[in-house]
Amino acid sequence: MCGIISYIGKSDALQVLIKGLKCLEYRGYDSAGIVIGDETHPFTIVKSVGRVELLAQKVAKIAIRGCVGIGHTRWATHGGVSEKNAHPHVSCDGRFILVHNGVIENSVGLKALLKEKGFTFYSDTDSEVLANLMAYHYGRLRELPTSQRFAESVRISLCEIQGTYGIAVICKDCPQELIGARKSSPLILGIHPDGFYLASDASAFAGQTKDVVFLSDNEMVHIHDHIYQVQDLSNGLINPTVETIDWDMNASDLGNYSHFMQKEIFEQDVALRNTILGRFSKDGSSAHLGGLQMTPQELRQIDRILLLGCGTASYACKVGEYLIEKYARIPVEVECASEFRYSNAPLDKNTLVFVVSQSGETLDTLGALHEARRKGFKSLAITNVVGSTVARESDGGVYQRSGPEIGVASTKAFTGQICVLAMIALYLGRMRDMSFSDGCEFVRALQALPDCVQKTLQGCESTMKTIAHKYASYKDFFFLGRQILYPIAMEGALKLKEVSYVHAEAYPSGELKHGPLALIDENVPTFVLASDPSMLQKNISSMMEIRARNGKVIAVATEGAHVPEKAYNDIVYIPSVYEAVLPIVTTLPLQLFAYYMALERNCDVDKPRNLAKSVTVE
Ligand code: AGP
């Protein structure tokens, strides 16, 4: 979603900002802007609707220089997509220039108050209100020295707004200073001997420095005189922890691939190898997950598990529900994080909560985490991004180690989440009823998974490409799955919608005859996930029902399974695997189908319209 990169130091800010904005493109945005200047160069703002490349071309035509700057990619919330609404925003006296991620919920009231005091507005955004609020307080604080006056204006304004923010702000009266602050929207300070970076995502300054401070909610950083000071908005200066980030410098490099989605699909064997690395018990019968930070005794006392996530992560949770209930025999509930945060469902005392989030920054998932913790439940995280807000605000958890995921459509993060949940099922199962030999069989299946994933992708790529070519013009698809493969049907439908803009719906296979069958005809193809041997005959019945109504069937089945030819139009075979890893292997052809459908339909695979990688607004 919206991205921030800002810089203050000895280098030319322009190069830093354009490079940083390009790194943030994957998050999704619709317009971009920068402001650059310093004590010898006047601050100049340039904005552009559309891609960062357009902004770069625009900037190249004008002389814009300086060692201080802030840049932003905007994903419209308040006001349409236009240069007027793009960031940075400026107070009407021209003094404060800021970029803002998040939503200011009381902006309407504040705007009315400021208008009464003579402030004027040019945009439809809530962010411009914040710039003017800072200018208003600056006017009141004349007795303070300039630098302190700047910082106090920002601090008081932030205390008066309701909602969420990650901001970077410049005051023209202090041209060698920069302030940043956050509340429910990430902001990271990068520290380098020659300067400082402030970004919503550390990838925006990847390779520049490894030393970072992850600002916490209600914290503000003031960079001036070559130093930085962090303060809590209400409690004064604090001593922040400087952490070290390990950059994966290849993450933003496509290598031999055409798109990040393609790269990330084919990286899944490596990603899964990393997920399981060093995480099995010495006797080879269980998982070893120290990050949960709970003793075996505490884990045995758990009566219920609640899994929370959004979108693809919520489908991983649904798979986790089947796995934990089957192998650990603990009742599991799954709820969309966006629903849970406002619901008031009664929860058992001994409920353990897991929030699942690739980015670790999804606002709805964070809201659910806060709500679960507020109610006193132990809340753990499954996330891919080290140091993300979800990771820092949970009571412990498991990192996926899937590596940076750049494509907006989640692929390797989804299979990584399922893999972690499978390991949790194994770990909890071995503490309860699962036998030693069953545990060893589970471990062997997970150890064999990376090779199996590689083989499956190689084996089904050309088939899925051919099938995508054949069905590229169809406008509606069904995806059917039973039991542990029903969430995979949902994920297959979501992938297709996201990247190729084709309508797709998922149902449990048995539900077809309870309504959706009315829509089946020769124009509505159906994927039937028939790779679960225990459900094969039931799935063949569903296929026959569809074929009897002239519907087209694309079946996913395991090698060696006998599926009558009359039951399908097209079929893709995957290896026969242990049930706990079946959802991962069955997902692979569906990811490839979505990818090749997007190519057939000339869609922007890595940056689908209207979507953002990290959804940091409600
Ligand atoms: C996945 O393809 C989607 N882009 C989306 O559903 C995503 O999974 C969801 O927004 C949750 O993101 P998170 O895992 O970063 O929290």
Side-chain angles (χ1 to χ4, degrees), residues 149-332:
R149 189 175 168 193
F150 171 30
E152 267 303 278
S153 312
V154 174
R155 191 192 68 79
I156 295 170
S157 302
L158 294 177
C159 290
E160 287 179 355
I161 60 172
Q162 289 156 17
T164 59
Y165 56 80
I167 60 160
V169 53
I170 285 167
C171 173
K172 280 186 183 169
D173 292 352
C174 311
Q176 291 299 134
E177 300 188 16
L178 180 64
I179 288 180
R182 71 155 277 175
K183 185 180 176 196
S184 298
S185 188
L187 199 69
I188 300 155
L189 172 71
I191 304 162
H192 185 274
D194 291 340
F196 298 92
Y197 304 83
L198 267 179
S200 52
D201 179 334
S203 66
F205 54 83
Q208 304 306 311
T209 177
K210 289 185 166 193
D211 297 330
V212 299
V213 171
F214 292 100
L215 291 185
S216 296
D217 277 353
N218 302 309
E219 283 181 3
M220 173 174 126
V221 58
H222 185 183
I223 305 164
H224 58 94
D225 302 311
H226 313 295
I227 59 155
Y228 68 94
Q229 286 177 306
V230 179
Q231 68 176 106
D232 181 284
L233 291 181
S234 325
N235 297 317
L237 289 179
I238 55 172
N239 197 6
T241 310
V242 178
E243 298 182 42
T244 306
I245 294 189
D246 273 332
W247 293 112
D248 178 351
M249 294 306 291
N250 295 323
S252 52
D253 180 5
L254 272 175
N256 293 327
Y257 294 100
S258 308
H259 301 96
F260 283 106
M261 183 179 180
Q262 182 193 27
K263 180 180 181 230
E264 286 154 9
I265 288 173
F266 284 94
E267 268 174 2
Q268 286 177 104
D269 56 329
V270 177
L272 290 163
R273 216 177 289 285
N274 288 332
T275 304
I276 61 173
L277 190 73
R279 283 180 165 164
F280 294 115
S281 62
K282 280 197 186 126
D283 68 359
S285 75
S286 185
H288 171 70
L289 301 168
L292 298 182
Q293 298 188 15
M294 291 176 75
T295 63
Q297 197 187 354
E298 285 172 324
L299 286 166
R300 273 186 210 102
Q301 281 164 2
I302 297 302
D303 293 330
R304 188 168 285 273
I305 289 179
L306 177 62
L307 301 176
L308 302 168
C310 295
T312 284
S314 75
Y315 303 149
C317 292
K318 290 292 284 178
V319 176
E321 176 183 9
Y322 283 98
L323 292 173
I324 295 169
E325 290 194 340
K326 171 161 184 172
Y327 293 99
R329 310 296 304 154
I330 302 172
V332 178

Side-chain angles (χ1 to χ4, degrees), residues 43 45 90-97 132 135 170-173:
F43 282 96
I45 295 175
V90 193
S91 58
C92 62
D93 62 0
R95 197 174 260 125
F96 283 84
I97 308 170
N132 275 322
I170 285 167
C171 173
K172 280 186 183 169
D173 292 352

